Amino acid sequence: MATQVSAHITGTVWKIEVKEGETVSEGQTLVILESMKMEMPVEAPSDGKVEKISCVEGQAVNEGDVLVVLA
């Protein structure tokens, strides 16, 4: 079952640390968000494989927006 990983804050996608098809471990940084000059990592909630990246670097996101889907 797919797991949607969402933004926990409103900010800008500063850096995407993974690629589609990549296997990730629980706690691994997937995306780094920038908000008010602070970098906030978004981590994988569980082991899985990156099925889809739903954001691009430089994109503004709101809290709750889906950033990555893990399979």
Side-chain angles (χ1 to χ4, degrees):
M1 186 169 148
T3 302
Q4 295 184 335
V5 182
S6 302
H8 56 283
I9 56 168
T10 297
T12 303
V13 177
W14 186 70
K15 190 165 186 191
I16 299 171
E17 296 278 306
V18 294
K19 294 181 174 20
E20 289 185 4
E22 185 175 333
T23 300
V24 296
S25 302
E26 181 177 348
Q28 181 176 339
T29 300
L30 304 175
V31 177
I32 299 174
L33 298 178
E34 187 272 327
S35 180
M36 301 185 328
K37 305 289 184 208
M38 292 177 55
E39 295 172 15
M40 310 288 276
V42 178
E43 299 173 344
S46 59
D47 294 350
K49 187 173 188 176
V50 179
E51 189 172 275
K52 182 177 183 195
I53 296 174
S54 303
C55 60
V56 294
E57 291 181 1
Q59 177 181 339
V61 295
N62 292 311
E63 184 176 345
D65 287 355
V66 175
L67 304 175
V68 178
V69 177
L70 299 178

